[in-house]
């Protein structure tokens, strides 16, 4: 079974650039990649915060959050 | 021909965690992944700077730099 890779973003230009490069570079044989737009899917915010997401774009691999550059603080999305 | 993915780090715990997760998650059918320890390979610094690397760990995909800020507890850095 593949591990889960979740890419959280908020539609900003920084996020989109990161999504196109980083999310697409993930090995699909190792990870099931899910793209979540936190601005539109606010119901996913608690889950993102639990994983340690503090800003977007962020990539959660195996439950560990990696923040990519700095687009927007998660507080701004609420 | 595969594109180039270069993961720059400096041997810190934050870098190693990011390396283990992020660099290993890159699809090897799309990218040739190279890991560069900038603390040891200082000759690679100008190249990293040209790609826009401002901090480590950073991942350069197709010549575009993505800075990875792992949400590490400060305890891990001591």
């Amino acid at each position: 079974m593949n591990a889960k890779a979740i890419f959280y973003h908020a539609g900003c230009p920084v996020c989109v650039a990161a999504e196109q490069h980083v999310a697409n570079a993930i090995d699909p044989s190792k990870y099931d990649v899910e793209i979540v737009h936190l601005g539109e899917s606010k119901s996913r915010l608690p889950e993102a915060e639990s994983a340690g997401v503090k800003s977007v774009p962020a990539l959660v691999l195996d439950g560990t959050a990696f923040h990519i550059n700095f687009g927007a603080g998660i507080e701004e999305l609420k």
Side-chain angles (χ1 to χ4, degrees), chain A:
Chain A
M1 204 188 95
N2 281 356
K4 237 180 146 56
I6 311 177
F7 184 85
Y8 294 102
H9 73 113
C12 58
V14 169
C15 298
V16 170
E19 178 191 332
Q20 286 174 346
H21 283 91
V22 180
N24 291 338
I26 301 294
D27 188 345
S29 74
K30 287 185 192 153
Y31 290 94
D32 290 326
V33 182
E34 184 184 7
I35 313 283
V36 176
H37 189 317
L38 280 179
E40 292 171 354
S41 306
K42 290 185 194 292
S43 61
R44 304 290 298 267
L45 278 165
E47 152 212 306
E49 285 188 308
S50 302
V53 173
K54 306 269 188 235
S55 65
V56 287
L59 181 68
V60 174
L61 292 174
D62 313 302
T64 303
F66 295 95
H67 300 94
I68 300 163
N69 292 340
F70 189 88
I74 200 163
E75 288 302 321
E76 294 171 48
L77 303 175
K78 288 181 179 173

